[in-house]
Amino acid sequence: MVQNRTLKRLDQGQLDQAVRRHEMFRNARVGGARANLSFCDLSGLDLAGRDLAHADFVGCSLRGANLAGARLDCASFFVADLRQANFDGASLIKADLRGACLRGAILVGANLFEADLRDGSLAEKDRSGHLRMVQIDANPAEADGADLSGANLTNARMSGVMAIHTDFSDAVMRGCKLVRATMRGANFTGSNLEGADLSGADMRGACLRGAVLTGATMMLTDLTDADVEEALTDKPVGRVVAELGRSLDDLLADHMAWVGSSGAQGTMLDLSGFDLRHAPSLAHVCLTMLRAAGATLYGLDLTGVQLQAAVLDNADLRGATLNDGDLRGIGLRHAKLNNANLRNVNLRPLVFDEQRSRPADLSGAKLRYADLSGASLRAVNLGNADLSFANLRGCDLTRTDLTGAKLFGAKVERRALTEGAILDGVAGLKL
């Protein structure tokens, strides 16, 4: 037996009171109480930026509600109606979204780490003690048309989910469980599905252009008419390290001798076109003047690396760790640096003498969701680069050339931009 459940309508004032008490509860203050908003109608109301971690939204309607930037970790949205809700930048770590309807919802940049988005249905006992199914006017486990671009879905459980034409572009979906999920026509452009389980998934007509599929399980996955151009799989991209003829350690030693002797000894290292994903850590290694154009360095640990005047044009450095590196005068034209860790890197010009210097060139590079916080980008050429949703807080942008760059959703301080950055033709910037 299926029975429709009538929801209790709350106005903004009543909701604010419940949220205040919940926040007091979260801070262990007297008078606080966990928010129990199950089976409430909260459609169209505002919860932006509020702390509702561990709150109960079971069977709730949040249709069209604003939850942008809200903290909703471990909250229960079991069979909730979340259609057209705005979760932009919200934290939903380990949230229970089983059976929730996310059709048309906005989850751009949301953190859904280990969230549960599997199918689910609600039952309750009637007066005679018999179970009956409860209908909340929503289709269970549905995310059709939702915008999850840039969301963190690492280890999320989405088996059986219905996500037709859903936008997962640039989403981080490492270890995500998508067994028998229906994702026809979904957009996974640039997404990271490393180690994801896509067994039996229906991905007909999906766009996986430039997606990371290394270690993914794709047994009986239907990829009919899917676009997998430039997708990164376990298959080597170009030449492999074994083809170098000598160990990488020996070649690095030769390269450092070449750098230290200004070319009198050793040999310059040229790794252009090589797939270095299985190479040992290059953290804190001297790679000054390295040539690695078109190389694949996806996910490598390059912490504190020295890459002064190196040439890595068109290289794949997505998800790589380069924090605290010395990248003065580097060439990274049209390189892929999406989701890379570039915190505190030094990208100032490499000065040879009073008359000669070499600025870093990242023109046309893809830096979507990259973390550049605290980096020195002084005089860097970022013309036509894509910095959408990148973190540029605390950056030195003096004389930085951002001509034609994309800065949609980028986190950047207004003062840094207005003190010398070149902003001709910048797109997506709100000053």
Side-chain angles (χ1 to χ4, degrees):
M1 176 180 178
V2 178
Q3 179 170 327
N4 288 327
R5 179 70 177 259
T6 302
L7 303 183
K8 177 184 178 182
R9 176 64 186 177
L10 298 187
D11 59 28
Q12 188 66 51
Q14 292 171 313
L15 179 59
D16 288 342
Q17 184 178 10
V19 174
R20 280 194 296 270
R21 293 188 67 193
H22 184 82
E23 290 174 337
M24 291 170 66
F25 161 76
R26 292 274 297 150
N27 291 302
R29 293 171 56 189
V30 176
R34 179 172 178 259
N36 184 355
L37 298 163
S38 58
F39 303 109
C40 287
D41 182 359
L42 309 175
S43 54
L45 299 184
D46 187 8
L47 288 165
R50 306 303 293 270
D51 183 355
L52 281 158
H54 298 273
D56 186 354
F57 293 97
V58 172
C60 180
S61 174
L62 283 155
R63 190 169 185 173
N66 182 15
L67 298 102
R71 184 175 180 183
L72 301 159
D73 303 335
C74 300
S76 178
F77 293 93
F78 190 73
V79 299
D81 183 355
L82 307 175
R83 287 176 285 185
Q84 288 86 46
N86 181 10
F87 289 93
D88 189 3
S91 181
L92 289 143
I93 298 171
K94 296 186 178 181
D96 185 355
L97 291 148
R98 286 175 297 162
C101 183
L102 287 158
R103 190 191 309 163
I106 300 169
L107 293 112
V108 178
N111 189 352
L112 290 131
F113 177 80
E114 293 190 354
D116 193 343
L117 292 94
R118 293 174 297 172
D119 198 357
S121 53
L122 189 64
E124 65 179 11
K125 287 185 179 180
D126 58 21
R127 292 180 179 178
S128 62
H130 295 103
L131 285 176
R132 60 185 180 186
M133 303 306 295
V134 179
Q135 181 69 38
I136 314 291
D137 187 29
N139 294 321
E142 183 181 351
D144 290 359
D147 189 347
L148 287 138
S149 56
N152 180 7
L153 287 154
T154 302
N155 295 336
R157 289 173 285 180
M158 300 179 67
S159 294
V161 73
M162 182 76 68
I164 297 172
H165 298 297
T166 298
D167 189 355
F168 293 103
S169 57
D170 296 310
V172 179
M173 305 177 75
R174 290 191 185 98
C176 191
K177 301 297 182 184
L178 290 154
V179 179
R180 296 184 300 280
T182 302
M183 298 175 290
R184 292 192 300 273
N187 182 12
F188 290 93
T189 303
S191 62
N192 189 334
L193 287 152
E194 183 178 349
D197 190 348
L198 296 152
S199 302
D202 182 355
M203 302 184 74
R204 287 175 289 173
C207 182
L208 290 150
R209 183 183 291 264
V212 177
L213 293 165
T214 54
T217 302
M218 305 187 74
M219 188 179 297
L220 301 178
T221 304
D222 191 344
L223 291 166
T224 305
D225 297 324
D227 184 354
V228 294
E229 187 175 348
E230 297 184 1
L232 190 63
T233 65
D234 293 317
K235 183 179 179 181
V237 180
R239 302 170 69 189
V240 296
V241 175
E243 296 180 46
L244 289 168
R246 297 170 59 198
S247 73
L248 187 57
D249 286 340
D250 288 345
L251 292 169
L252 287 170
D254 270 3
H255 180 76
M256 285 187 273
W258 179 79
V259 172
S261 65
S262 299
Q265 299 175 13
T267 308
M268 183 188 72
L269 183 57
D270 190 342
L271 296 172
S272 297
F274 275 86
D275 188 336
L276 301 167
R277 283 180 287 170
H278 301 295
S281 171
L282 296 173
H284 306 289
V285 172
C286 175
L287 295 172
T288 302
M289 298 187 72
L290 169 75
R291 297 193 66 84
T296 300
L297 298 101
Y298 165 81
L300 278 189
D301 181 6
L302 294 157
T303 303
V305 72
Q306 296 181 48
L307 280 165
Q308 306 96 322
V311 178
L312 285 91
D313 298 340
N314 298 299
D316 188 347
L317 287 146
R318 287 176 292 173
T321 301
L322 295 115
N323 60 290
D324 302 308
D326 188 345
L327 278 60
R328 288 174 295 161
I330 196 171
L332 283 163
R333 292 180 298 171
H334 302 287
K336 299 174 184 176
L337 289 148
N338 295 344
N339 297 106
N341 178 355
L342 293 153
R343 291 195 298 268
N344 302 315
V345 295
N346 186 357
L347 280 158
R348 291 186 177 215
L350 182 62
V351 178
F352 301 109
D353 53 44
E354 292 183 0
Q355 284 79 36
R356 295 183 305 145
S357 65
R358 174 176 174 161
D361 189 352
L362 281 79
S363 56
K366 296 179 180 179
L367 291 140
R368 294 173 66 86
Y369 298 94
D371 187 355
L372 288 144
S373 55
S376 178
L377 304 178
R378 184 178 289 254
V380 174
N381 181 4
L382 283 163
N384 298 309
D386 189 349
L387 290 147
S388 299
F389 306 101
N391 185 357
L392 295 163
R393 292 193 179 110
C395 285
D396 180 359
L397 296 171
T398 306
R399 301 195 315 278
T400 303
D401 188 353
L402 290 160
T403 302
K406 297 177 183 177
L407 287 162
F408 295 98
K411 301 171 184 176
V412 59
E413 293 155 354
R414 179 176 180 178
R415 181 178 176 181
L417 286 171
T418 56
E419 291 186 350
I422 301 169
L423 303 172
D424 298 337
V426 168
L429 184 62
K430 294 180 181 180
L431 292 176

